[in-house]
Structures are given as C-alpha cells and as structure tokens.
Amino acid sequence: RGCPTSEDSTIHWGANAVEVEVMRYRPRRELTEALQGYDIIQVVAGSPAWGAVVTGGSVPVALQVASPVAWERTSSLAEQRGPIGLWRRGMTLLTSRVENRAIRSAQIVFVENSAMFEHIRSIGQDHVMKAPPGVDTRFFSPSRTGCRRDGHLLSVARLNDTRKGHAQLIEAYAHMVRREDSTPPLVLCGKGQPPRHLIDLIARRGLSSRVIIRSDVSDDELRALHRGASLFLMTSYEEGLCMAVLEAMACGLPVVCTETAGTRETVVDGVTGWLVAQTDSSAVPRAVADRALAILHGDGGVMGARGRQRCEKKFATAVALQRFTDGYDALAAATASTHFIRPPRLPRFG
C-alpha cells in the first residue's frame, strides 16, 4: 500500500555535496515522510550504506546488500596513490561506519553468500538471511544439442570494471593459446567498452584476431552466446554472487572462475566447474589456463549438466523468491505483534 497515485511510479530524491561520499547516505525528510504509508521498506543496494537513507523511521526496513565497500574496493584502492588514493581510503573508512549503523538499524538483512552472512552477524545484526537472487532457468537454458565441445570460450562482465580482472583473463587465454594453437576464440561480453589498456594488452599478446568483444548485447544475443560456447571463464577479484556465472550454469556450461565469496556460493569446485585460488595473483592466469584446457579435453558436458541441476534446485527464480517472501512474512508478523519493536525471531538461512 501507499504506492504513488501518479502514472509515474518512480520518484527521485537528490542530495547535496555528493563529492563527500557519506553525504549520499543522509536521510531526506521528504523521503522519510513519503514512506510512512508503507508496511515494509525494501532497500536493494550493493553497499549497505544505502540503508542509512531510510532506517531509523517508523517503518520496518529489509536491507538487501551485496558487499561492504571495503571488500569491493580492495583491488582498486591498492592501485591508487597520492592525494586521490588518500581521499578514497578516507571516504571508504567513513562509509564503512555508515554501513555498520545501517546494518544494525535494519529489521532484517538479506545477503548473497556465507562470507557476508558472517560479516553481518559480526557487526551485531542477528536477523540476517542468506537469500541470493535467482536466475530465470526457463530463459537461460541449454541448447537442444547440449554443451558444445567446439564452441567459443565466453566471459560476461562489465567491460570497463577493473574489479572483473579482465587483464588476468587475457593472460590466462594467452597461456592457453601458447600451449595449444587450436584453442577456441574468446568472447568478452558485457556492458560498456573495454579500457584502452586492455585493448593494448590483447594486441601485445598477439590475440587481436582471437578475442571478440561484444558490448551491450540484448538478452536474446546473450543467451545465444551461452548456447554456442563450450566453457565459461570469469577472473574477478571480488564478487558478491555473480549472476553471469549462474546464467552460464543455467545454460549448461562448465565454468572456471577465480575464488571469491560469490563463486564459493555458486560453483561446486570439481563438480560444476573449477575455482582458482587468488592467494598468489601471479599464479592465477596459468592456473585458469590449466583448468580450462582440462575441461576442453575432458567431458565438460557432465560438469555443465551438474551446474544446470544446481541452478534449478538452488537458484531458480521461484526458489529465490520464496526466501524473500518467507522473510517478509516473518517480518510483517513480528512487527504486527510487537508494534515495531525489533522482532525477536526470524528464520535464518545459513
């Protein structure tokens, strides 16, 4: 209830001095007043800090988050030096404090992986549920002929995001090509455009004719790319979950991924694909190449079929939705019985 009566159901609120990051998360009086007619406020955000905009009012808040900013920015902060690096580290520290307050103030927090579950609990928030978003397994589905042995290699991620580790993916692919010239082409697909340094790296490794870049493709084109592939590769430094991995698994592709909090949640190592540890960053490209070539020479179809089954059982849209509705129902019931005192018991999904 309480939905806007105008035809446009989206209302935008702005902020002042947004160059100072924490100013983005300050509550807005008009927004707080506009939300009073709702039963539950659901915040969906990457950083928990966005929950600070609405927590503290009289309406219970369900906060759905991916990762703390300190985790998300680990790789980028390591590369930034001088005044800009100092500024970014200071903003990250302040934003982390806002995140912690928002987490403790929410009535329930939905998270995507076990690492985040434990992090939320460590802050003092007991009402946390592991509820990863779902993938449409009817749309993202294998081709009728199954996983191809002669298809291209596929990676899907934002092309201009350094956290996605495209450079180490190119190095891994270069290892594969040096060892076996028959290695299939690599398709890099995602939103945006790749940065100049990545294009230069592809050229220096002599891979310009082998690496195909597909930017901003439609959903139908994306599904076709999955169905034409033999293997999915992902070398991110950090992932909260990674929907691209789930979409690949739903399409029956075996996967080789770097180990992150998110991929530990989605990939069963050695069963639906392989996880490559990032403890030694210099060893990652060669390890990815080893695993990828092993799948190409083995029966990747078996791993792909297991990944499809895992998606249907644990990550299909209906399964994911049920987790959220269970949380909403418990929150609504607890709120009604306590007159918006923090609910004493909520279901936990560990």
Side-chain angles (χ1 to χ4, degrees), residues 189-254:
C189 177
K191 300 291 185 182
Q193 296 295 327
R196 184 72 250 172
H197 68 81
L198 186 64
I199 300 296
D200 291 342
L201 176 61
I202 293 171
R204 288 199 307 274
R205 297 295 179 262
L207 301 172
S208 297
S209 63
R210 290 177 173 264
V211 177
I212 303 165
I213 296 174
R214 297 289 303 277
S215 179
D216 301 320
V217 301
S218 68
D219 288 343
D220 287 337
E221 291 172 311
L222 179 60
R223 180 176 59 181
L225 286 171
H226 278 95
R227 289 179 171 176
S230 58
L231 174 64
F232 183 87
L233 301 171
M234 195 279 294
T235 56
S236 293
Y237 296 109
E238 184 275 333
E239 289 286 350
L241 186 73
C242 192
M243 290 300 297
V245 170
L246 285 181
E247 290 166 357
M249 290 169 60
C251 289
L253 288 180

Side-chain angles (χ1 to χ4, degrees), residues 137 140-142 249-252 304-312:
T137 53
F140 288 102
S141 59
M249 290 169 60
C251 289
R306 292 170 182 161
R308 169 70 185 181
Q309 293 168 2
R310 179 168 171 79
C311 279
E312 291 178 315

Side-chain angles (χ1 to χ4, degrees), residues 232-235 245 255-259 263 267 274-277 288:
F232 183 87
L233 301 171
M234 195 279 294
T235 56
V245 170
V255 299
V256 177
C257 305
T258 43
E259 187 175 3
T263 53
V267 180
W274 292 105
L275 295 176
V276 174
V288 170

